[in-house]
Amino acid sequence: MEGKPGLQTVYQAVQALYHDPDPSGKERASIWLGELQRSVYAWEISDHLLQIHQDVESCYFAAQTMKMKIQTSFYELPTDSHASLRDSLLSHIQNLKDMSPVIVTQLALAIADLALQMASWKGCVQTLVESYSNESASLPFLLEILTVLPEEVHSRSLRIGANRRSEIIEDLAYYSSTVVSLLMTCVEKSMDNEKMLIKTFKCLGSWFNLGVLDSNFMANNRLLMLLFQVLQQDQTPSNLHEAASDCVCSALYAIENVETHLSLGTQLFQGVLSFESAYHMAVAREDMDKVLNYCRMFTELCETFLEKIVSTPGHELGNLQTLELLLICAGHPQYEVVEISFNFWYRLGEHLYKISDSVLHSIFRPYIQRLLHALARHCQLDPDHEGVPEETDDFGEFRMRVSDLVKDLIFLVGSIECFSQLYSTLKEGNPPWEVTEAVLFIMAAIAKSIDPENNPTLIEVLEGVVRLPESVHIAVRYTSIELVGEMSEVVDRNPQFLDPVLSYLMKGLCQSSLASPSAKAIQNICSVCRDHMAQHFNGLLEIARSLDSFTLPPEASVGLLKGTALVLARLPLDKITECLSELCAVQVVALKKLLSQEPNNGISSDPTIFLDRLAVIFRHTIPTVENGQTHPCQKVIQEIWPVMSETLNKHRADNRIVERCCRCLRFAVRCVGKGSAALLQPLVTQMVNVYQIHQHSCFLYLGSILVDEYGMEEGCQQGLLDMLQALCVPTFQLLERQNGLRNHPDTVDDLFRLFTRFIQRCPIILLSSQVLIHVLNWAIAATTLDHRDANCSVMKFLRDLVHTGVANDHEENFEVRKRLIQQVLGQFGQQLVSQILQVCCFCLPPYTLPDVAEVIWEIMVFDRPTFCRWLETSLKGLPKETSGGAITVTHKQLTDFHKQVTSAEECKQVCWALRDFTRLFR
């Protein structure tokens, strides 16, 4: 931003942002204000706007900017200005307390974030309470600050470091009794003031969440009794009920380790159990918000006491009345209520599965059986539902979650027992269609977990399903088809059913609303019954020829072709070439038609449908080829190449189509391996030519596949290096642009995959080439990128690069590799170690650390003494204090970390040390 803008200009921009009827005017204002927020002038301008407080919009913008600047740019302020900033913010919040709650919240966050970073502001809680607790008009904003303060301690936006964080938590724990006393006073003063009660409970919940309240003190505190009172009363207003429920859930969460918080745990346990009649009253009044609140508290209660429930079921805090409460909720007619408890049931199942004790399982079996019955009832569609079950709406997603939960819990009740029981309800009664459909849906969830060997019930079910009359409700047919797909193992063991099953599924395939599950079921049957399906290959070929006559979504068509290709791979070798050619011909003819079309003649000109189909055919046609035999797919792929090449050329500017072409070629090359040698020269030439003009990163990925397949063939190595150099020139130009790395993470990802393949397949040719220096400079620069895949590829390249000099695989060129890596590290080692340490502390999220640790480990294994010096130098370059004056890292912590890393005997020890150390900077 050029120079400080005038206040009037800022006002106009804020007005435009909120009130300009023209969207482009709003957009311009938003971009300009964003620039202002990033500039150093934002501090002073925000302060002025808050002083003048002309209107709500400008004050909200200023308060939000202040919060953002304190969170992200606190280092811009000189230390001697911190105190005046604090006083200014406190004066603003007092002056603007009645203007708008959102402004108060933003200013409260700004004050909290300042307190956390400003090491010189000692005992901030005490100061705030002393200054504002005596004036009832100031209590609301005081509570707001005291609510957000504990929440911000673990904020990701603040990099205050583990040392400062520990210091703050200790400080807040010390003053927690002051806060609780303040909250008690607030309650006494405002028993009838709903808003103040809500603020009090929110504040209390926030301090529970941070885990700093003394649990013995809280166990006998009147605030806790008041919470229970509010939640037991029928007349409690909705917002207050929600705030009280949140507070109870926070308290339960805070005592996760029940043994150390026994007195508070016992009070909460008894308190929440006492809400049962209040829950029934909320159900009777059809007050859904309260019903959901009670279910949340019951679930949190079960989560907190899970260990007790499993270790001492039925005794004291393991009282199974907790599970009864959840099952009462499962009986509520709305499925959203039972869904709240799913995570607890998963965890219970996990615990019981690990313990594997039949006596213990028998205690919980009846509860799980009742839950499964309730879930089957919740899965029922409305009796007046027309058409097939929707899978993408909220109810469809709920059913998918039920299916997953049933799969996880079925071991407790026994798959076959449950399956047989469900089936008998259909066989013996004559239930309405929606009950039948829901039962079939649950049966489909457990069919795969039953041993298909000699199981008469499974065979009876399969027989019954394929004989269902066409007159049954379409949803019943839909779900029965899904069930048949899940029973493919049974068909494989009982091939006499293959014909009736296929004929049943073919009927479904020809009906538009049943085509998709039928295609998926046929794909499952093909995958599992490949050998039996070989005799049906001509039928599958017929389906493939007329794919477009079925109303199938693209993924279902591709799934059918996957099944067909899996069966094709089981045919005799001499048959495969001819059949593959026929299977591909349909797609190739379609691509040829598209190529010969005049533009805009009304026919879809999108070739991706046919490219995806070819890709899936090549990907799953994996015949067994003995050494010396010609690969049966080689001839077909050579015939297809000209059409692929022409399609690629025609759509060279369209990233989506080029990506699909590359994907198709990648699976073709993988399919025939060395048999694709004839394609190598023309393919590389075309890739390089198109890439000079259009930098589609998929060419780099395809290049890495070629290196993987041909990199060990000496005759191909120079050609592959030429390809690499030709691809690098435009790639480096692309990455050199402003924010090039950040704007093109896919390119970084694919580029470093390509380099890694060279290091894995033909390291010496890359290590001896001129391009290596550029590659290493880019690798060091790209370590800063916090994009998951891109960062992973960069780190894998660096790890494999150094490992090349470590892995003595008895090849005669090991000494050459070792010497070349020595040269690389001699030139780049110190820079690389310093950069890696910096990015771990300041750029990368914690999940990347295992990959980084591997790079450090390999460098250390290669040359430990030199690495120790590099690490020491790198550690000296780290900042020891935050901009707020807090100690980031002590001398002892630096030396401990150095010792932990350099004395590590395996990579995971490096990773643990790195995790602990980087917390000091987060």
Side-chain angles (χ1 to χ4, degrees):
M1 180 161 273
E2 300 290 321
K4 187 172 78 168
L7 279 189
Q8 203 46 47
T9 316
V10 180
Y11 271 124
Q12 284 165 355
V14 172
Q15 287 306 308
L17 180 67
Y18 287 101
H19 302 296
D20 193 330
D22 175 13
S24 63
K26 279 184 187 293
E27 178 70 13
R28 279 196 304 277
S30 174
I31 291 167
W32 189 84
L33 288 168
E35 270 182 50
L36 170 63
Q37 286 183 315
R38 285 188 293 277
S39 78
V40 75
Y41 309 117
W43 297 101
E44 194 183 336
I45 287 171
S46 302
D47 195 43
H48 281 323
L49 290 175
L50 290 165
Q51 259 167 15
I52 301 163
H53 56 249
Q54 186 167 324
D55 52 33
V56 171
E57 290 94 344
S58 61
C59 285
Y60 177 70
F61 169 74
Q64 189 197 34
T65 303
M66 270 298 189
K67 178 204 72 178
M68 203 179 97
K69 293 299 284 182
I70 291 170
Q71 279 182 347
T72 59
S73 313
F74 191 55
Y75 60 86
E76 290 177 354
L77 294 177
T79 312
D80 56 9
S81 68
H82 294 172
S84 59
L85 173 63
R86 173 194 62 197
D87 298 343
S88 171
L89 287 171
L90 288 170
S91 132
H92 292 322
I93 200 167
Q94 193 155 23
N95 296 335
L96 299 169
K97 61 180 180 290
D98 302 321
M99 194 173 204
S100 159
V102 289
I103 293 171
V104 172
T105 301
Q106 292 298 312
L107 286 170
L109 283 164
I111 291 163
D113 291 339
L114 177 65
L116 297 177
Q117 294 183 89
M118 187 176 156
S120 58
W121 187 1
K122 305 285 183 200
C124 69
V125 172
Q126 186 74 23
T127 320
L128 290 165
V129 172
E130 281 171 3
S131 306
Y132 302 110
S133 60
N134 298 323
E135 244 182 281
S136 55
S138 303
L139 280 176
F141 76 74
L142 173 60
L143 289 188
E144 189 70 34
I145 298 171
L146 293 175
T147 302
V148 297
L149 186 63
E151 289 170 356
E152 289 295 285
V153 171
H154 292 292
S155 161
R156 293 219 173 139
S157 315
L158 292 179
R159 301 184 73 94
I160 54 177
N163 286 333
R164 173 67 178 154
R165 203 166 271 118
S166 302
E167 187 187 317
I168 289 159
I169 291 172
E170 220 170 278
D171 201 43
L172 293 182
Y174 182 76
Y175 289 111
S176 61
S177 56
T178 308
V179 174
V180 175
S181 304
L182 170 72
L183 296 179
M184 288 292 299
T185 313
C186 290
V187 166
E188 281 154 14
K189 282 184 186 170
S190 54
M191 268 312 283
D192 301 326
N193 183 338
E194 184 194 332
K195 280 188 176 167
M196 276 306 284
L197 276 179
I198 289 173
K199 281 189 169 299
T200 304
F201 289 155
K202 280 188 172 171
C203 187
L204 181 61
S206 180
W207 285 73
F208 266 130
N209 278 334
L210 190 61
V212 292
L213 295 180
D214 181 306
S215 58
N216 289 329
F217 175 58
M218 289 312 298
N220 305 306
N221 193 281
R222 271 214 37 236
L223 280 175
L224 199 63
M225 300 309 123
L226 178 65
L227 271 176
F228 296 150
Q229 234 172 302
V230 163
L231 290 165
Q232 281 157 351
Q233 279 166 9
D234 178 30
Q235 303 301 326
T236 300
S238 240
N239 288 345
L240 179 57
H241 196 277
E242 186 175 5
S245 303
D246 288 345
C247 188
V248 168
C249 287
S250 298
L252 284 164
Y253 184 75
I255 58 157
E256 200 73 71
N257 186 348
V258 178
E259 290 302 329
T260 53
H261 304 285
L262 212 49
S263 52
L264 179 57
T266 308
Q267 292 287 0
L268 286 165
F269 189 85
Q270 288 161 354
V272 177
L273 282 185
S274 74
F275 299 154
E276 187 181 340
S277 55
Y279 167 81
H280 288 301
M281 182 56 80
V283 174
R285 291 188 185 276
E286 296 186 4
D287 189 335
M288 191 62 179
D289 289 342
K290 286 185 182 174
V291 166
L292 292 169
N293 287 337
Y294 288 121
C295 187
R296 278 194 302 129
M297 290 186 283
F298 297 156
T299 303
E300 198 64 63
L301 181 75
C302 290
E303 295 251 18
T304 297
F305 293 98
L306 175 60
E307 301 285 347
K308 293 279 184 194
I309 290 169
V310 173
S311 59
T312 55
H315 301 287
E316 295 174 347
L317 297 176
N319 186 340
L320 296 180
Q321 182 60 29
T322 47
L323 298 191
E324 288 292 345
L325 289 175
L326 286 196
L327 289 172
I328 289 169
C329 291
H332 191 278
Q334 302 287 328
Y335 70 84
E336 292 88 348
V337 181
V338 69
E339 196 168 13
I340 290 172
S341 63
F342 277 15
N343 191 53
F344 165 74
W345 294 113
Y346 277 124
R347 285 186 59 205
L348 176 66
E350 221 171 35
H351 270 63
L352 294 172
Y353 187 75
K354 280 181 191 156
I355 294 169
S356 187
D357 172 341
S358 56
V359 177
L360 192 62
H361 288 192
S362 67
I363 294 172
F364 290 96
R365 186 170 297 124
Y367 293 94
I368 301 300
Q369 278 168 335
R370 284 162 61 196
L371 174 69
L372 294 183
H373 280 293
L375 292 176
R377 200 172 56 254
H378 279 297
C379 284
Q380 288 173 21
L381 298 161
D382 286 335
D384 55 359
H385 177 93
E386 290 178 4
V388 301
E390 267 294 329
E391 289 186 357
T392 50
D393 61 1
D394 288 348
F395 184 55
E397 283 178 13
F398 166 74
R399 286 183 21 133
M400 291 329 307
R401 289 194 67 200
V402 167
S403 177
D404 292 340
L405 183 58
V406 170
K407 285 171 189 166
D408 279 7
L409 294 177
I410 197 65
F411 74 93
L412 279 165
V413 293
S415 330
I416 186 60
E417 293 87 336
C418 185
F419 195 82
S420 306
Q421 209 177 0
L422 287 165
Y423 181 53
S424 65
T425 63
L426 298 185
K427 203 168 54 169
E428 289 155 18
N430 185 15
W433 75 264
E434 68 275 11
V435 174
T436 303
E437 191 278 335
V439 168
L440 290 172
F441 177 78
I442 300 290
M443 287 168 74
I446 54 183
K448 269 210 171 97
S449 59
I450 302 170
D451 181 4
E453 205 64 63
N454 303 326
N455 201 314
T457 308
L458 289 175
I459 293 169
E460 194 184 335
V461 168
L462 196 55
E463 269 183 312
V465 167
V466 297
R467 283 210 303 269
L468 274 174
E470 287 187 37
S471 58
V472 297
H473 193 290
I474 190 93
V476 174
R477 283 190 62 202
Y478 184 96
T479 304
S480 69
I481 288 169
E482 289 190 321
L483 174 58
V484 170
E486 292 297 310
M487 294 177 76
S488 43
E489 298 269 355
V490 183
V491 179
D492 192 41
R493 298 289 205 294
N494 301 277
Q496 72 273 22
F497 285 118
L498 192 56
D499 285 349
V501 162
L502 286 176
S503 122
Y504 180 67
L505 295 176
M506 276 308 297
K507 275 184 206 160
L509 194 60
C510 298
Q511 201 170 333
S512 61
S513 52
L514 301 175
S516 204
S518 303
K520 196 175 171 200
I522 293 172
Q523 180 194 330
N524 280 355
I525 303 269
C526 287
S527 305
V528 175
C529 318
R530 291 184 211 180
D531 294 324
H532 299 306
M533 282 299 291
Q535 62 194 10
H536 291 278
F537 186 76
N538 287 337
L540 291 172
L541 202 52
E542 275 313 307
I543 294 174
R545 284 200 185 104
S546 48
L547 263 184
D548 294 318
S549 66
F550 305 115
T551 34
L552 286 172
E555 62 274 14
S557 303
V558 164
L560 268 176
L561 288 172
K562 173 185 173 180
T564 307
L566 289 168
V567 175
L568 169 62
R570 292 295 169 94
L571 298 180
L573 280 191
D574 55 337
K575 279 266 192 209
I576 290 179
T577 308
E578 174 197 341
C579 292
L580 177 66
S581 185
E582 286 190 50
L583 191 55
C584 293
V586 192
Q587 323 309 330
V588 174
V589 167
L591 285 173
K592 280 181 177 167
K593 273 186 188 165
L594 291 180
L595 287 168
S596 64
Q597 259 175 39
E598 294 301 313
N600 306 326
N601 63 355
I603 304 170
S604 162
S605 56
D606 184 359
T608 59
I609 294 168
F610 310 107
L611 291 169
D612 285 349
R613 290 177 185 179
L614 282 173
V616 82
I617 293 168
F618 295 141
R619 184 178 191 173
H620 297 286
T621 306
I622 310 169
T624 311
V625 183
E626 304 293 327
N627 272 345
Q629 288 181 313
T630 304
H631 198 290
C633 306
Q634 187 176 322
K635 179 167 170 277
V636 183
I637 286 168
Q638 279 166 0
E639 285 166 5
I640 286 172
W641 162 248
V643 181
M644 294 294 303
S645 172
E646 216 179 316
T647 304
L648 183 54
N649 232 0
K650 179 177 175 180
H651 299 282
R652 54 171 57 200
D654 186 327
N655 185 54
R656 193 175 67 96
I657 296 176
V658 171
E659 210 163 64
R660 300 305 230 292
C661 282
C662 285
R663 190 166 171 274
C664 191
L665 288 164
R666 159 185 150 206
F667 289 125
V669 168
R670 286 286 197 216
C671 174
V672 292
K674 303 284 182 292
S676 62
L679 295 186
L680 197 55
Q681 187 64 49
L683 175 54
V684 168
T685 307
Q686 187 168 358
M687 278 167 57
V688 168
N689 288 341
V690 176
Y691 193 76
Q692 303 301 319
I693 308 152
H694 304 287
Q695 284 83 48
H696 303 299
S697 76
C698 51
F699 285 127
L700 300 171
Y701 189 89
L702 185 53
S704 72
I705 302 296
L706 296 176
V707 174
D708 196 35
E709 291 291 341
Y710 293 100
M712 295 174 88
E713 307 284 313
E714 275 188 37
C716 299
Q717 288 176 350
Q718 187 56 47
L720 291 170
L721 184 67
D722 293 343
M723 171 193 77
L724 175 80
Q725 288 170 324
L727 293 172
C728 277
V729 175
T731 307
F732 293 162
Q733 286 169 353
L734 180 73
L735 298 178
E736 272 160 9
R737 292 180 198 163
Q738 194 177 0
N739 292 329
L741 288 167
R742 186 159 295 285
N743 293 342
H744 301 284
D746 293 345
T747 300
V748 175
D749 181 17
D750 292 332
L751 180 69
F752 282 94
R753 281 173 192 263
L754 174 56
F755 295 152
T756 302
R757 290 295 191 200
F758 262 96
I759 288 297
Q760 290 168 342
R761 293 285 176 255
C762 43
I764 289 176
I765 196 155
L766 178 64
L767 292 170
S768 318
S769 75
Q770 297 299 305
V771 79
L772 183 69
I773 295 216
H774 302 290
V775 170
L776 288 164
N777 279 324
W778 276 112
I780 291 171
T783 54
T784 57
L785 206 54
D786 65 355
H787 181 280
R788 190 183 282 264
D789 294 338
N791 191 277
C792 182
S793 290
V794 173
M795 294 303 169
K796 184 163 177 35
F797 164 70
L798 289 167
R799 175 207 167 280
D800 285 8
L801 175 82
V802 182
H803 187 69
T804 300
V806 174
N808 187 356
D809 39 23
H810 306 296
E811 285 186 24
E812 61 276 18
N813 61 20
F814 171 64
E815 288 305 323
V816 181
R817 292 200 318 256
K818 190 174 174 183
R819 192 185 73 249
L820 289 167
I821 295 300
Q822 218 151 11
Q823 288 169 10
V824 166
L825 288 178
Q827 191 174 351
F828 290 96
Q830 178 66 70
Q831 187 190 351
L832 180 58
V833 173
S834 294
Q835 174 81 343
I836 281 178
L837 197 61
Q838 289 280 340
V839 298
C840 284
C841 293
F842 302 110
C843 304
L844 299 182
Y847 65 73
T848 59
L849 294 181
D851 296 336
V852 180
E854 290 193 350
V855 179
I856 291 175
W857 172 253
E858 291 296 339
I859 297 172
M860 188 160 71
V861 170
F862 186 78
D863 183 350
R864 205 174 276 248
T866 310
F867 171 76
C868 290
R869 290 201 304 278
W870 287 339
L871 183 59
E872 189 180 345
T873 307
S874 305
L875 288 169
K876 282 176 184 165
L878 290 174
K880 312 297 183 284
E881 267 192 16
T882 66
S883 48
I887 300 292
T888 306
V889 57
T890 63
H891 179 69
K892 183 179 185 311
Q893 285 169 328
L894 289 170
T895 50
D896 285 353
F897 173 66
H898 188 279
K899 188 178 174 187
Q900 282 166 348
V901 172
T902 52
S903 63
E905 287 177 15
E906 46 187 343
C907 183
K908 63 181 176 189
Q909 292 168 315
V910 175
C911 187
W912 294 335
L914 209 50
R915 272 214 170 105
D916 289 342
F917 185 69
T918 54
R919 283 193 189 112
L920 300 171
F921 297 87
R922 287 186 198 287

